[in-house]
Structure formats: C-alpha cells, structure tokens
Amino acid sequence: MLDTLASLSGGFETVLTFHNIVLIFLAGIIGTVIGALPGLGPSAGIALMLPLTFGMPHASGLCLLTGVYMGTMYGGRITSILINTPGDAPAIITALEGYPMMCKGKGGLALGISAISSFVGGFFGLAVLVFFAPVVAEYAIFLGPPEYFMLMLVGLSTIVLLAGADVFKALIVTCFGFLVSTFGSDYISGHVRFAFVPELIEGVDFVAIIIGLYGLGEVFYNLERKIVLNLGKPNFGFSDYIPGKADLKEASAPTVRGSILGTFIGILPGAGATIATFLAYALERKLSKRPETFGKGAIAGLASPEASNNAAVPGSLIPLITLGIPGSGGTAIMLGALIMFGLQPGPLLMVQSGDVVWAMIAGLILANFFLLASNVLLIPLFVNLLRLVQKHLPSIVVGLCIVGAFSLNYGTFNIWIALIFGVIGYLMRKNDYPTGPFILAVVLAPLAENYFRQSIMLAQGSWSIFVSRPVSLTLVVFMVLVVCASIISKQFLRRRRVGTE
Amino acid sequence: MKISEIILLGGLSVFSGSLLWGSLDMPYSTDTTFGPGFIPLNISIALLALVGVVAVRAVLRSKRGFVAPQDTAAHGGDGGENSGVETLGAFMLGGAIVAIAISIYAMSYIGVLIPLGFLLVVLSWQFSGHGLLKSVVISLIVLAAIYLIFSIWLRIPLH
C-alpha cells in the first residue's frame, strides 16, 4: 500500500509541471469536444492525437492520450442530451434519459448530473486502478512465452464481444488485420515479408492505419450520406447546470452502483464502456421503485450509466497495463501507442517503465478533476464551439489526418496508406463490418505470432507446452470462459434491448 | 449484396490471394518452430474461405429476397429516389477521394501546406457546400492552426 502511494506520488512529481498541467487540461477539453462530435469516439480521438505525441516525453504523450480518452467519455453525453445524437457508443444509453430531460426543459440539469456522475465513476475506477494494478503486475512478471501467447489469445478471443451482429464479418476483418500485421521484418527469422516497396520493410504503420480507418473513413461516410450536424441554438443560463440537493440525493446511489459495475466490466477484456452502460441501465431499471419513469427522464437511468462508462476507462487500463490485453477499441489503440513509444506492454511494463505508467495514472487523476471543472464551468463554451465547427468538420478532420500521417516519417507514403485505409474504413462502416476486431488483430497478431513461435521453439516442436504449465492452462480455461461469457452477455443484452424497446 | 460490399470483399480476396501467392515462397516451418510463411499462408486461406462463406450466404439471401419481394418493400427500399441520392453521394465521395489523391501526389513535389490549403478549399466549397469566400477563409484559419501546432510547436517540416 505504502509502495503504491509512493509510486503514485512519484508520478505526480513527473506530471506536475506547467507544460504537463496545460497539456492534460487541453487533452480533457479536446477529448470532450471529440467525444461530443457524433461519429468521433474514443478510438478516433486517440488516433487523431497520436501524431501530436511524437517528440514528447513518454509520460506527457501518454497523459495526452489518456486525457483525451477520458475526455471523450465526458463529451459523448453532450450531444446525447442536447440533440439525441450520441457522440459515441457508450453515450447511447445517456440519450435514453438525457434527451427526455432536455425536452422537459431540464437539459442543463441533465448535463450537470451526468458530469458529476462521470467524475465519481472515473474517480472510483482510478482508485481501483491505483491499488489493483500493482498487485496483478507483481505476479505477472513470472510469465513466459507460452503464457504471453495465451494472454494474446485471450485478448483476441474478445473479438466475439467486439463482433457486432455478424460473427463472420468480424472474423473476416480479424483475418485481414492478421495479414496486414505480417508485412515487414519477421522478428524470429529476420525474413522480410511482402515488402513490395522499401517503406514496407518496417511494416504498415499502425498510426496511419487508424488515422485512415477512423478519421478519413468517417469523413467519407458522412460525405456520401451528406450528414451535416445541426446542434441548434441551446440557450442555458449557468445556474441551470448545478443540480439541487434532492437531485444529487436521487443520483447518489445509482452513481455508486454504476461506478462499481463500470470498473469491473471495464477490467474484463473486450467488455468495455458500452456494455457497462447497458448493464448499469438494466440494473437501475430492475432496482427502481418506479421503472415506468425510465425512458422519460429518470435521473437514476442517467447517472448510473454515465458513472459506469467513465469508471470503465481506468478499469480497461488495468489489463492493458498489467497484462498487455486491451479491453476496448480505445485501449487497443493505446496499446499501439505504448509500442510506438518503445515501451513493452505486458507484465514487465510496470517493472521496466513504472515511472511512465505512474505518471500516466497521476495524469488521469488530474484529468478527471479538470474534466469535472471544465464540464461544469465550460459547457456553454463547448456547446458554442461545437456549433461553430460543425459545418466545417470534414475539412478540419481531413487536414488533421493528412498532416498527422505525414508526421509519421515526413513523407507521403503514410498519407497514401491512410487514404487506402480511409476507403477501407468507409466500406467497412457502410457494410457493418466492425473495426474493433481489425484493430485488435493488427495490434495483437504480431505479438501473438512471435510468442507462439518462441513457445514452440522452447518446447522443441511440441504443442503440449500450452497445457502443461499451470498458468498457461488457467489462461486456456479463462479464454474459454471469456468466449462463453461474451456469447451469454450478448444474448442477455439482446433480450434487454428488446425489453427496453 | 451491395456493390460496396462486393468491392470490399473483392478487394480483400485479391489482397489475400496475392499474400497467399507470396507466402508460398517463404519457409512454412523450420527444425524447431514454424517459419515466416506459416501465418500468412493459413490466414490467407482462412480469409478466402470466409469471404466465400459470406458471398454464398448473400447469394442465398438474395434468392430468398427475390422469392419474397415484399421483404424489400417492408424495409423501405423501393429504389428510385434513394438510389439516385446514393449515386450522387457516391460521385461526391469519389470526387473527394480523387481530390485527396491529387493533393497527396502534389505534396511529394511542393511540400504539404500549399496542396493541403487547396484541398481544404475544394472540400469545403465543392463537397460541403459552402461559398467560395467562406471556404477560403475557413481553410486559411484551419491551415494557420495546423501550421502553428505542427510546424511551429512540434517542428515538423510541412513545407
């Protein structure tokens, strides 16, 4: 416990510089704006910010990315409540209760309550992250290649959860991700694979892929559909955002329940914030003495999912930091960012780069406080900023994507890659092919392949190594459980959705 | 199956087919472990098989749809107006992609900023439907912000 607190204070020492404080504050605001923009969720936010981290110290770069990640969770609720258009998937449930409140003239109250619930959820998740992650990491350093390989497989097995309605489509994009990841030098044999041009010797740049897939792909989709935002002219007085005592009392118990649920759902690989919000909403409706008020502006139905989606962010960072398993699309990109920074995600991360990890956690705690303040004080500014840029969004996003891709190696090759994946992203979105499994495969497949081949080498060609070691066998069982739980929870959610409708 | 899905699956098939062909030249296994050709070969075959499954499934579904045309009407698809709007949207999208491709090509010769500026104006004017003057002003503001952040702050050579 004392060691943990000492490490955390070390993280704060790194983070508490003028440069980092400004950076974290801006990251929160940028994340809030991105989260509020329909279609641009956490994955797109992190992807767009990734090029800005080049040349930054690792701790600052990670603070920027996690700040944006946390900010998108705060921001997603704004357009949900104001115009019934969720900024990202976890904010879908927020619209169910937030928009009816808006229609009743309580939009300001909905924004205020959701901001406070988000803060409490985020804070609870961070507390669990601070005290739970070192415990997991302590035991995780004893793992070898077979266990690493099984961990990667556990991560990949979460594709079932990210799959959406059609598992075949998810499997297709997963295989595609695997193949994209095979370009470039093979680390085991040194063989260069599919380097059709010299730039491909190092493989296809992950950042260029996600810039194209999420940034350009989204612009292309909106351009074809002629989707133009119409945020209207909300006119709130500042006092509207501060909830009264009675409202806070009504929101308190659901917020606590949502925080606990969100954190633990976030820890489960592949589950993530969206599932957490659906479960939190279902739980509140079940526990409510007046379930008939749900869907008509129930404060409990707004507070609990909002707390849960923010709690899921630090929750999903626990398996990422300690085991190298991304729990969501956003953390899959974070995993790529860690690799890009030259850090080694997995059990050794907290041992070899503990200072950077603790600085990132300290940055997240700071970001959570900044986000509460900015989301209460700056809501009118956010709303007007969104209204200002909404009609020029395609140009802004294309500009950022092109310059971001150029920054990767100061050449046009990665811009072409981004354009190609932009078209692929558009085609995937248009035909309901999920992007989450693709990203997961691109990130995890090279690691899984290396660990797999190392394990087979270690066992001199025998496959029994994966079941003869206790930890590896446990992970095999866990993977089976994850797949089964994913299928069961999907069935559960489907029934719940039908019930809600 | 929509044309866009056929393009996607066709592209994936060509991609996996070419990697399958390329992986045949790589060692599949060594004395102690699997070689660099193991993953590309097996995954390419798996991808081709999955594309085949989805294509066959789509064909079977479309046959069912042909037998019961009321199914399509129930989903609000009478073709006509919607397909016209979709075609226009597809042309717009194609134009935007060509404009981006031309500006990327120009960037290899004259730097990023000038072609990007032109691209932003074209996107705003022709594809987002703003007036020319407004497009130029907004593009200049965006370009200035990009220049400040990337060129001045992060020292990335954009020109």
Side-chain angles (χ1 to χ4, degrees):
Chain A
M1 172 79 97
L2 285 177
D3 285 349
T4 302
L5 291 176
S7 305
L8 183 63
S9 67
F12 272 112
E13 268 178 38
T14 311
V15 163
L16 289 176
T17 62
F18 178 73
H19 173 261
N20 284 338
I21 289 172
V22 172
L23 193 73
I24 292 165
F25 182 70
L26 288 177
I29 290 182
I30 292 167
T32 307
V33 173
I34 289 174
L37 297 171
L40 293 180
S43 306
I46 299 169
L48 287 173
M49 288 301 113
L50 212 47
L52 291 182
T53 61
F54 299 161
M56 280 186 191
H58 294 161
S60 305
L62 285 173
C63 283
L64 174 67
L65 297 180
T66 49
V68 168
Y69 188 13
M70 189 68 121
T72 55
M73 291 297 158
Y74 274 85
R77 73 194 212 292
I78 296 176
T79 37
S80 274
I81 292 168
L82 293 178
I83 55 167
N84 200 24
T85 307
D88 50 20
I92 292 168
I93 290 291
T94 308
L96 287 182
E97 301 300 334
Y99 188 65
M101 286 178 79
M102 169 78 188
C103 294
K104 288 180 191 169
K106 292 181 177 175
L109 178 66
L111 286 169
I113 285 178
S114 56
I116 292 168
S117 299
S118 297
F119 171 77
V120 175
F123 197 77
F124 182 83
L126 282 165
V128 175
L129 171 66
V130 166
F131 293 106
F132 193 58
V135 179
V136 178
E138 199 174 314
Y139 290 99
I141 55 172
F142 300 107
L143 307 181
E147 288 80 15
Y148 276 110
F149 171 65
M150 293 315 302
L151 278 174
M152 298 304 126
L153 275 197
V154 170
L156 285 168
S157 69
T158 61
I159 281 164
V160 180
L161 254 179
L162 298 171
D166 193 336
V167 177
F168 277 110
K169 288 182 175 179
L171 288 174
I172 284 178
V173 295
T174 306
C175 287
F176 178 45
F178 257 90
L179 289 179
V180 169
S181 76
T182 59
F183 280 67
S185 299
D186 166 36
Y187 292 111
I188 304 283
S189 66
H191 195 103
V192 177
R193 298 186 286 201
F194 313 121
F196 304 117
V197 289
E199 286 90 342
L200 283 174
I201 290 172
E202 290 294 312
V204 185
D205 200 301
F206 169 76
V207 184
I209 292 174
I210 55 170
I211 284 175
L213 206 65
Y214 290 104
L216 293 178
E218 192 62 38
V219 171
F220 294 158
Y221 185 79
N222 290 347
L223 210 60
E224 190 212 29
R225 298 275 162 129
K226 288 189 159 292
I227 294 173
V228 180
L229 296 181
N230 182 11
L231 294 176
K233 293 181 179 177
N235 184 22
F236 298 131
F238 181 71
S239 59
D240 291 341
Y241 300 104
I242 311 295
K245 268 187 185 175
D247 298 321
L248 284 176
K249 195 179 170 189
E250 196 178 340
S252 56
T255 300
V256 172
R257 283 192 289 269
S259 305
I260 297 169
L261 190 70
T263 305
F264 290 101
I265 297 282
I267 292 173
L268 297 177
T274 310
I275 304 259
T277 57
F278 276 101
L279 290 178
Y281 187 75
L283 179 70
E284 288 310 319
R285 193 172 168 154
K286 192 98 181 162
L287 293 177
S288 175
K289 289 173 186 165
R290 292 176 297 148
E292 71 279 1
T293 59
F294 277 66
K296 296 170 188 164
I299 286 180
L302 174 72
S304 183
E306 267 306 313
S308 71
N309 75 24
N310 280 60
V313 172
S316 66
L317 288 175
I318 293 173
L320 176 73
I321 290 171
T322 56
L323 302 171
I325 298 176
S328 62
T331 43
I333 297 175
M334 287 291 300
L335 179 65
L338 290 172
I339 294 168
M340 192 188 78
F341 286 142
L343 304 175
Q344 190 186 351
L348 288 176
L349 182 66
M350 287 196 92
V351 177
Q352 292 173 339
S353 315
D355 51 339
V356 178
V357 173
W358 282 109
M360 181 183 83
I361 294 171
L364 260 177
I365 294 172
L366 209 57
N368 202 34
F369 278 100
F370 283 159
L371 279 163
L372 174 68
S374 61
N375 272 269
V376 173
L377 299 174
L378 301 178
I379 284 289
L381 184 71
F382 285 144
V383 172
N384 287 310
L385 188 64
L386 275 176
R387 285 171 51 205
L388 192 71
V389 301
Q390 58 184 324
K391 287 179 181 155
H392 304 284
L393 211 58
S395 312
I396 295 171
V397 174
V398 167
L400 286 175
C401 288
I402 286 180
V403 178
F406 175 82
S407 321
L408 298 175
N409 62 359
Y410 302 164
T412 53
F413 180 75
N414 280 318
I415 313 180
W416 286 114
I417 294 287
L419 180 62
I420 290 167
F421 278 93
V423 175
I424 293 170
Y426 154 77
L427 291 171
M428 284 167 70
R429 169 104 196 255
K430 192 173 163 75
N431 296 294
D432 293 327
Y433 283 75
T435 51
F438 171 74
I439 289 295
L440 212 56
V442 171
V443 173
L444 290 184
L447 300 169
E449 184 189 356
N450 287 345
Y451 289 130
F452 170 68
R453 286 163 64 190
Q454 280 175 12
S455 305
I456 295 292
M457 208 184 290
L458 205 66
Q460 295 179 325
S462 168
W463 290 64
S464 63
I465 192 167
F466 297 116
V467 286
S468 60
R469 295 162 64 120
V471 178
S472 179
L473 181 63
T474 309
L475 287 168
V476 172
V477 175
F478 182 64
M479 184 174 66
V480 174
L481 287 176
V482 165
V483 173
C484 292
S486 307
I487 294 167
I488 292 167
S489 69
K490 274 199 160 196
Q491 294 290 336
F492 173 76
L493 278 178
R494 197 170 294 150
R495 280 184 201 160
R496 268 285 161 197
R497 273 182 208 151
V498 171
T500 308
E501 282 161 16
Chain B
M1 192 183 271
K2 284 189 270 186
I3 294 173
S4 57
E5 192 169 9
I6 294 171
I7 294 171
L8 177 65
L9 292 181
L12 289 179
S13 304
V14 172
F15 175 73
S16 56
S18 60
L19 293 204
L20 174 61
W21 182 257
S23 63
L24 291 174
D25 292 334
M26 296 174 195
Y28 186 81
S29 61
T30 62
D31 291 340
T32 51
T33 187
F34 292 101
F38 177 74
I39 291 286
L41 184 78
N42 289 312
I43 299 290
S44 300
I45 292 170
L47 180 53
L48 284 171
L50 284 164
V51 168
V53 169
V54 171
V56 168
R57 201 179 55 173
V59 170
L60 291 176
R61 276 183 187 169
S62 71
K63 274 187 180 172
R64 276 205 297 268
F66 182 72
V67 172
Q70 68 274 18
D71 285 355
T72 51
H75 289 90
D78 68 342
E81 199 179 325
N82 279 348
S83 68
V85 172
E86 269 199 14
T87 310
L88 184 68
F91 271 116
M92 294 263 293
L93 177 63
I97 291 170
V98 169
I100 294 173
I102 291 170
S103 43
I104 299 172
Y105 185 72
M107 281 172 198
S108 4
Y109 295 99
I110 53 173
V112 175
L113 280 178
I114 296 170
L116 183 63
F118 277 108
L119 176 66
L120 295 183
V121 173
V122 170
L123 284 179
S124 180
W125 180 35
Q126 289 296 319
F127 300 105
S128 296
H130 301 300
L132 180 59
L133 187 65
K134 195 175 182 183
S135 299
V136 171
V137 172
I138 294 293
S139 301
L140 281 176
I141 293 170
V142 174
L143 208 60
I146 284 173
Y147 180 74
L148 279 175
I149 295 170
F150 286 88
S151 206
I152 305 286
W153 182 30
L154 298 171
R155 294 178 187 174
I156 291 166
L158 293 181
H159 46 81

